[in-house]
Every structure is written in structure tokens, then in C-alpha cells.
Amino acid sequence: MSGYRLSDGGLTDRGTTLRFSFDGTAMSGHSGDTIASALLANGVRIVGRSFKYHRPRGLWGAWVEDPNGIVDVAWNGRTTPNLRATTEPLINGQEVRSVNAAPTAAGDRWRKLDLVSRFLPAGFYYKTFMWPRWERYEPRIRALAGLGRLDPGHEPAADCAQVNARCDLLVVGAGPAGLAAARAAAARGETVLLVDDQDAPGGALRWRGGTIAGSDWRDWAEDAVSTIKAAGGRVLFRTTAYGVYDHGLVCAWRRREAGPDQLWRIRPGRTLLAAGAIERPLTFADNDRPGVMSADAALRYLRLYAVVAGRRIAVATNNDAAYPVAAALAQAGADVSVLDSRDDSLAMAECALAVERNTLPSAALGQEDLTGVLAGDLRLEADTLLVSGGWTPTIHLWRHAGGGLRYDERLAAFLPEGGMPAMRVAGAANGAFGLAAALADGHAAGGDDGPAPPVGEGHASYAIRPAWPDPAGSGRAWIDQQSDVTVKDVALAAREGFRSVEHLKRYTTLGMATDQGKTSNMAGLAAMASITGRAIPEVGTTTFRPPYVPVPLPVIAGRRRGQLFNPPKRLELEGRHREAVAGLREYGGWLRPSWYGADGAAAIDAEARAARRAVGLLDASPLGKIEVIGPDAAALLDFECYNRVSTLKVGRARYVLMLTEAGIVYDDGVVMRLAEDRFIVSCSSAHVAGVRMRLEEWRQDRFDPARVFIHDATAHWATIAATGPKSRDLLEATLPALPRQALDLAHMAVTETALDDAPLRIARVSFTGERSYELSVPQSAAAALWDRLTAGLATLGGCRLGLEALLILRAEKGYPIIGKDTDGLTMPHDLGMTGPMKKREDEFAGRRALFTPQARGADRRQLVGLAVDESAEPLPTGAHGYAPSGGRRRSIGYVTSSYLSPELGRPIALALIENGRERLGERIPLVHLDATFEAMVTSPVAYDPAGMRLDA
Amino acid sequence: MQLFPCPFCGLREETEFHFAAEAGKARPEPAGQVSDDGWAKYLYFQDSPKGRSREIWVHLACGEFFVMTRDTVTHEVTGSEALSGRSR
């Protein structure tokens, strides 16, 4: 027999009927039910199959502690895997499926696997399937064990907001201790944030009841909530504070009925942890049978949902907290008997039911379902066995924050020890068991020195007598139900030397399941203590890490997904590019046109040709525009750059490298001198932030910051580059107001003028090897300039130029892209730029490292070109050149860029090759994946080696 | 998420900062006279103290470098000052 719902009582809304199904069977529940309470009310016993042995499993708990109730839920066309039945609200239309079971939990086809369990100890699969490789067996073994199945079509919306909050006092838990503390603090004028994972205040009062300050606890709780709100505080229900992070940050997951969940990032002045305690199981043979349940959970199902766990109920306990449960179930009509490990106690004396003293279960009887209890010689018929092995304080957040623990022999539990400046623990979490004690502890923790509200409690005894796992017990006694770990597995771990709890955890996976050992860790470490002859505090606990409960990843990711995960920087002219059918892609953080037109390959080819034959127009706005201003500007740039900058004349520009202090090329760029004391560093678009920070670092830590100033104006200016033999014609035709001397600028010269009342900067800088003009205007003038220039393209046979064509054009000229054609070992002389290191005597960043034995070694990888047959395919980028070495291949470098050159009509490639410049003319073998190639080492400059076209 | 005090902007979340260097580690100069080993030590050898550590950080939002004293074990921040010659 199994659970059923009473005809009245409980907090569910009996007016609404919710239809759902479990493993294909239609069932119903009420609004306010959890999936677990509805399953129990519908008489479901087996809710799933165990992870490893496929044993039948039923509900053990009623909330976050439950190890067994894991289900896949399809709703609204989407399946969410591995939801916890005990905390998941029932919704009309849910299709609930058990996990690790097929076709149903009750009729699982692997249910006989457990018969061979003696051959499947901890670590069995990993130890057995080692030859020839684990990976060969893994898929089939994984299919046998495991939890829910992912729905590939279910991509949750990125709609979870992240809320930042501050408060004087954060109270975690709205049970008696939390409410008393929050109320006391609010009464003193503090701003309190009270969070609780249930949907109403009260904590365990909701099912254990009580009288506070002379009336029903609900009146007092209601008054506490209004006191908190009146003082400017907030109360959040269905909100789980799941982790404490550095510097007191508390993260909480807030579930909402209307609207998506939220992640709360709370910065409290102080935190009070009043998270209560979790009931522990008892350990005996087959204690995982469906029908064995936490006594407290049974009371919770009864009071909140009016669901009775069974008809013939045995209650087994080692403490007084189970007696109210027994009494309540008897009153609800169940046939209840009690087993108690103790000889006598206050609660036992007052109990009206039959109590077997000095007795605890030694085995659960029944195969798929519980039929009785064996306790030594005693045999009890029962369909349900409620157990209470004592209480474990919920001190997870205290441990996250770094708080200490001590073992309390009287309570047989780990309790918070010592103090922390910004956190306290109160109530059952602090070992203050019982309503009066919890209330007083919370009241004082809230800062009220006066007397706590009086409670009208019957008795407040706890009187636990520890009942830890017995390593000598017969049969298989479960410690971790979700990870399928038994007492014998713990003994095996100890025998094999895994005696530390951290080793025990990893060897047996004890406590590593989604419940994170809320009910199993204490039993596990107690078993290890007993097996190894140590005391419990000597064994200690494993590390507590966030999150306290599994938090859905969409909540943590929030809205930072898709485009918002790493938003690209957008061009002022993006609209113009889209009108011209640009294919937009991300380059160095910017969304830029790859090409213009529907057919990418054809467009790239045409654009590259047009730039060589006529004119191409490129939106080069992301190019760095870092202004360096002041009397020490030239000195700062001399130090920053490999090439000397101070000798640059006003109105001229110079190509420079920037090195790390290890001598590695960090970036390249063009430095323009607009005035004696004003420069613009036009570095590569992807390195702007980095170059700016380097400049700032030297400025602040080496120079007089009052004599040089850095201003990154990259985002303020748009830059449009006209490149090609007809670039001058384009400017002349479309910008007639442009002064003559601007058109006549020499290569690497720069001038400032104006156009339509907007400032205009023109620089003769070329990334293609062709005559080029870079026109920079404030963003507000960009569209007008772009429109005028594009209007003149057609007549000249020119076109817009995307990034892909530009990449080919610069590769034809052997212009490296730093970070693509160079790597973390490339020094300037590897690129053939030896002038400054030979000539400069002054200090500059990275100089010293250019003179180490490594930097001057004879086997450096140098930038070269690679030529293949005209009819061959371009070499794969990343292909390695190699030299035969003792029957193996030794890499001598690799291809960094490779294209089919439209202008040359043959493949071109750049590569970093060991001693490359000495190999000019040499044919080297290359390999990529399984294919081999041959190429001739050439100069990196494949097109116009004499540089005649810059002024063509 | 740690909170770091920028001497110019106040307490901000750690994602706004970058580590720059250990404090007090001067660039050996004239660098040309430093031995290869000496330069390698400057480049690659850090004290990485356990416990109290003085470090240069930069607040990316304002661009200011500053000296922060913190504990690498407890993550407690005990001091934050502008570079010498810089005022608030």
C-alpha cells in the first residue's frame, strides 16, 4: 500500500485540479502541490531507478534534501531534465518521466541488474574496462547509468535578470530563528533582506506548528513580515541563497510564478544564517526501499499537502523529534507503531502509541516495495517506515564564507564554531533545536537584548542517542542513495587506503550527486570513523562549496548569452554596409563587413582586383586613434615603440612595432605626429585597449604624468580608407572642396583640414601596397563622407572593400597581422626589422630581451613566403613545415596565412619557418592532418616587391 | 566576487581591475648592463607571497594604476594607495 490524500486539510488549493502524467499514466493534483506531493497522493511508490544498480527508489525527503525524486518534465513542448520532484511546483499539463528507467520506473528493464551487484563494487567499471581503452566501453556503460535526457530542441530563453541588492542585514531562512532575528533588526531600524526557499514564512512551523507570543505562530510571523517591510526591508520567498563568495557576496536564486527566475547578487552588511536543519536517515539493510522515508518529510507531506505517506506505518527514531510525527499520522488515521533506540525519554513517556524501546530496524523487508521491518528478532508488518536518525544543521553558507565547525557530542552534529565579522548562525543551524531555543537564538542574533517572545510549546527535548552506520551489519545498507554508495563501499575505500573523507568522496562518489550529500555525508564520515577506529571530528567533513542546491544555468548566465555574451562593437556606418548587402562578421571585437554582395567568394575576388586596378573603399574606423599629448609625449612613445618616434617630423607618420618586455612583438601600428607635442597612435583595431593600457602604465609608472596625457579617441572618429591607383581620382571627383595639398600628400604624410565644417584628418598610409588615403572624421560626419565617396566609385570602376579582400591584399604584400602571422615567440628581427635594435642606444620596452642568447639564436622562426605550383590549391593555414628527424617529422614552423591571390593568379602564403631567410629558394615538405605538400620558401612580399605602386 | 578599492573611484567589483605587477619590483636599469639571468628574473620570477602581498593593479574604468595591499589567502584587502606622485 502507499500514500493517499485526506479529504480535507493541507495548504493546496482544492478548488483547482491540475492534470499531469507520470511515466505515461494520467494523474491529478492541486495548485500548491509539488510534483512529489502529487505523486505521493496518487499512490506512486517507485519514482525512479538508482544511478548504478537500477534499484527501485521512492521519495525519501520532501524538499531539497531528497536524493531520489529526480524527473524529466515535458511541458509546453519542452523537456527539462533532472528536475527535483520535491521542489518543483506541479503545473497543469506536465508530463513527468522517471530517470534512469525504461519504459517506466516500476517496470524498468534493467531492474535485475541489482542481482549481480556483489560484482559491482565502487570503482568497478573504471577498474574493469581498462583494456585496451576505457573510451571503447564508456558509451554503453554511460547509457546504463545516469539521469535524465537532454532535449536538444530546448534552448531556454536568456531572460533571467540579475538583480544587485544591498541591505544592512541579510537573513537566510524565514523559520522561527530567521523571523525573530529579522524582526528584531527591523525594529531597531535596520534594512533587512529576508530570503526563504519556501513560498511562505514559518519554516518548520508550517508543519510542526506552535504558539508564539500567546497566539498562533501565523499571527506572529505575519507581524514580523510587516515589521520588516515597514522598516524599508524586503522579504523574498521561493528564493534560495545558494552560495557565499568573496568579500561577502551572497548569490540567491529567486523563482517566480509570473515571469522568469532571477539571480540576486546581494552585498549585505551582515548575514544571519538561519537555514534550519535536515533530518538524517538511519542505516540498515535495504534502507533504500521505496516506503522508507524521513519522518519529518512525512509530517511535511501531511500538513502542507494533506497527504499520508502510508497506512501501516512504523516510525524508527533515536531522538524525540519523530514523536510529533507519529502522533500526527495516527491522528490522521494511519496505524502507527514506534521503534526507539533509547530506553527512555520525555517524548517517549508522553507518547500514547506502542513504543518498542532499545530497538532499531536491522532490515527493510520486501522486494520492489516495503512490506515490513526487521528489528533484531522483531518482525513488523508495515507499508511505510519513517526514520529519524537525528538532525544535521544546515551550515553550508557558513562554510562557504570560511566559518569553522566543531563536533557537538550532545547533539551528535557539527555546529558553527568561532566568529566571523560579517556572519552569524542562529536557530537549528546553530544547534538551537526546538522552537523556544531557536526563537531565542534568532531574537538575540537580531540585536535584541530583551526577552524573546514566549512560546507555548509542549516539550522542547531532543535527547538524541547517536545511531551511526554499523560496518559489521549484514546486508547492503545505503549511505548515499543518489550515488548508490553502501556501507560496504566505504569499507572498501578504507581498505584501499582512501581514508580521508575527501578521498572517500571521490573514490565512491559519496555526496557527489545533485543532492550534494545533504542526507549522506554525515553517515558516510561516521561510517569511515567507525571503520578506521577514529572519532567523528577526527575524520572531519568534506569541503562545502556553492551552490547549496542545483541552480539552473540560465539563471547564472542571465542575459549574457548569444549576442549579449560578448557584444561586438558596432560601426557607425553599419546601416550603410547593410544597405550594400555586406556580409558582417566579427574581427577583433568589431562587427565589420567581410565582403559586399550575396556571393562571398566572387565578391572577395572582385574587391581585391578592384583595389589593385582602380579603387577600393574600406571602413577602417576600428583602427586605433590613441592621442598622446604633452611635452613628454615623444619621450613616452620612444620608450613604448621599437622604432624611434621623437625623430618624426610634424606632419609625418611612421610604421612602428611595440614589444613586450620579453622582446616579443605585441602590436604594430602607425604613429602620426600632428604637432610637436601631439601624436596619434594608430594601432591595430584588436589591440587598442591593450596599447592604451601599456601607454598608461609607462606614463604613470615611469614618466611624469603631468607632462603627458593619453586619450583614446578611437570610438569618436570614423576612418574611411580609399586605396588603389585611382584613390586620388576618387577624392578629387567626390570631394572637390578638398585643398590641393591634401591630394598631393606624400606617402606617410598626414594633414588636418576640414570638410563641411567638420574636422578631417588625411593620412597617406597603405595597408595594401597601393596609393592610399585614410580619411578620419568625427562619427557624426561619417555617413555624409561615406555617401559622397561611394557615389564616385562606379565611374572609376571601384567598389567597397570588405575585410576578407583586405586580408588578401596585405598578405600579397607580406604585411603581417600581429598575432596571426606572429606568435608568442616572434621578435622584430624575425620579421626582418633589425634597424632599431642595431641603431638605438636608448632604453625602450623590450630592448634588453632582444640581446639574450635565445633572441640571437640561429634557429629562430622567421616570416617568409611560401610558393606552390600555380595550379595547386592554397596551402592549408596551420600546415607544418617539417624536417625528417630519426624517422619522425620535426616541425620547423607553420603556415600563418594562405590565400589564392586574384591579382597574381596563384596561391600565396606566409609562414613562420625556422631559419626561413636562409632557406630562400629551398623546397620544404609540409604536413596537415594526413596530407603532405611541398612549397618553396620565398620572400614574404609576393606582389610589387619594389614598392612602386605606393605612388602609382 | 571581490571588491577592490580604487583610490580614485572607491569600492568596485574585481572585474573592473587588472593585475599589473608586484609592487616594489623596479625595472633594472640600465637594462643593457643587466645579465641575461637578471633580466629573466625580472621578467619571470615573482615572489607570489602567501599571505600579505603588495601589488600594482589598474582600475580599467578610470585607467589609474595604484598599489593594493591584500592577503592572498583570505582575500582581505588592507590597503589601497595611489602611485607615489599621484594624488586623489
Side-chain angles (χ1 to χ4, degrees), chain A residues 299-603:
Chain A
L299 185 60
R300 197 163 174 159
Y301 283 119
L302 176 67
R303 295 282 193 234
L304 300 190
Y305 314 103
V307 176
V308 186
R311 289 169 206 272
R312 231 174 144 173
I313 299 176
V315 177
T317 185
N318 66 346
N319 67 83
D320 280 356
Y323 281 87
V325 181
L329 286 164
Q331 199 184 9
D335 173 6
V336 182
S337 52
V338 180
L339 309 177
D340 197 315
S341 69
R342 301 165 301 169
D343 187 44
D344 195 17
S345 88
L346 205 54
M348 204 188 300
E350 290 174 2
C351 180
L353 301 163
V355 179
E356 286 288 341
R357 294 161 194 250
N358 305 310
T359 306
L360 276 185
S362 50
L365 301 174
Q367 286 308 311
E368 293 278 294
D369 197 354
L370 188 80
T371 56
V373 183
L374 205 59
D377 300 334
L378 182 75
R379 197 187 171 98
L380 268 179
E381 297 284 308
D383 59 41
T384 300
L385 172 56
L386 303 182
V387 296
S388 178
W391 294 78
T392 302
T394 306
I395 41 65
H396 297 66
L397 298 190
W398 168 260
R399 292 292 292 142
H400 295 173
L405 294 182
R406 70 180 168 88
Y407 186 71
D408 186 294
E409 293 285 353
R410 189 179 58 88
L411 298 178
F414 283 101
L415 298 182
E417 178 176 57
M420 277 202 294
M423 189 183 278
R424 265 198 72 160
V425 187
N430 197 30
F433 292 162
L435 180 54
L439 208 62
D441 199 25
H443 186 73
D448 194 326
D449 300 332
V455 304
E457 199 179 19
H459 52 79
S461 65
Y462 176 50
I464 185 174
R465 176 173 154 192
W468 300 120
D470 175 11
S474 63
R476 294 156 75 208
W478 255 258
I479 285 185
D480 186 332
Q481 297 201 34
Q482 197 178 132
S483 280
D484 257 351
V485 178
T486 64
V487 177
K488 287 191 166 65
D489 291 319
V490 179
L492 177 69
R495 270 206 309 282
E496 301 198 351
F498 299 103
R499 295 156 58 97
S500 142
V501 271
E502 297 288 0
H503 288 155
L504 169 68
K505 169 176 173 172
R506 282 149 188 87
Y507 184 68
T508 62
T509 70
L510 194 161
M512 287 177 73
T514 57
D515 64 343
Q516 287 286 289
K518 288 184 178 61
T519 57
S520 60
N521 283 345
M522 270 310 289
L525 71 92
M528 181 55 90
S530 163
I531 289 163
T532 56
R534 288 178 291 173
I536 285 174
E538 251 182 281
V539 176
T541 67
T542 53
T543 307
F544 290 77
R545 292 189 183 88
Y548 171 66
V549 294
V551 179
L553 290 176
V555 174
I556 293 169
R559 294 184 170 136
R560 296 186 307 263
R561 283 163 56 194
Q563 281 239 322
L564 292 180
F565 176 64
N566 188 11
K569 294 174 212 162
R570 314 294 282 251
L571 296 166
E572 173 75 16
L573 296 174
E574 185 181 316
R576 295 290 198 278
H577 301 317
R578 288 189 184 277
E579 282 167 24
V581 204
L584 293 160
R585 280 191 199 164
E586 194 231 287
Y587 296 87
W590 288 82
L591 194 62
R592 304 182 68 176
S594 303
W595 59 76
Y596 295 87
D599 180 350

Side-chain angles (χ1 to χ4, degrees), chain A residues 609-805:
Chain A
R609 280 172 200 276
R612 291 270 180 244
R613 305 289 173 88
V615 56
L617 203 59
L618 175 82
D619 184 350
S621 301
L623 274 179
K625 282 161 266 200
I626 303 173
E627 298 192 27
V628 183
I629 307 156
D632 283 356
L636 171 60
L637 286 171
D638 268 353
F639 186 81
E640 162 71 12
C641 299
Y642 173 63
N643 313 69
R644 193 187 278 283
V645 172
S646 55
T647 54
L648 194 61
K649 292 190 171 54
V650 172
R652 301 291 297 182
R654 182 168 289 165
Y655 177 76
V656 301
L657 296 180
M658 288 163 259
L659 313 184
T660 69
E661 281 280 57
I664 307 305
V665 180
Y666 175 76
D667 193 23
D668 64 352
V670 170
V671 176
M672 306 171 194
R673 189 168 207 170
L674 300 177
E676 275 303 317
D677 58 356
R678 184 161 163 246
F679 298 82
I680 289 185
V681 180
S682 182
C683 57
S684 7
S685 40
H687 283 132
V688 174
V691 168
R692 178 202 161 213
M693 268 308 141
R694 284 170 52 106
L695 287 165
E696 277 293 351
E697 185 167 5
W698 296 127
R699 167 184 172 261
Q700 293 176 38
D701 206 14
R702 187 178 181 88
F703 290 85
D704 179 353
R707 290 177 58 84
V708 56
F709 186 73
I710 318 273
H711 173 58
D712 177 11
T714 305
H716 305 271
W717 292 74
T719 300
I720 299 167
T723 183
K726 293 185 180 170
S727 53
R728 186 193 158 106
D729 299 342
L730 180 68
L731 267 56
E732 203 168 15
T734 58
L735 309 174
L738 213 58
R740 190 90 217 156
Q741 101 258 11
L743 294 174
D744 290 343
L745 270 185
H747 179 58
M748 296 307 265
V750 55
T751 186
E752 289 178 290
T753 171
L755 187 74
D756 302 339
D757 298 330
L760 167 68
R761 187 170 63 236
I762 305 184
R764 282 285 314 278
V765 174
S766 178
F767 292 99
T768 61
E770 302 291 335
R771 168 184 282 270
S772 304
Y773 295 84
E774 265 182 29
L775 294 90
S776 298
V777 292
Q779 297 286 11
S780 56
L785 178 61
W786 179 259
D787 289 345
R788 291 171 70 163
L789 290 166
T790 48
L793 284 173
T795 345
L796 294 169
C799 66
R800 295 168 184 81
L801 193 57
L803 260 285
E804 292 301 320

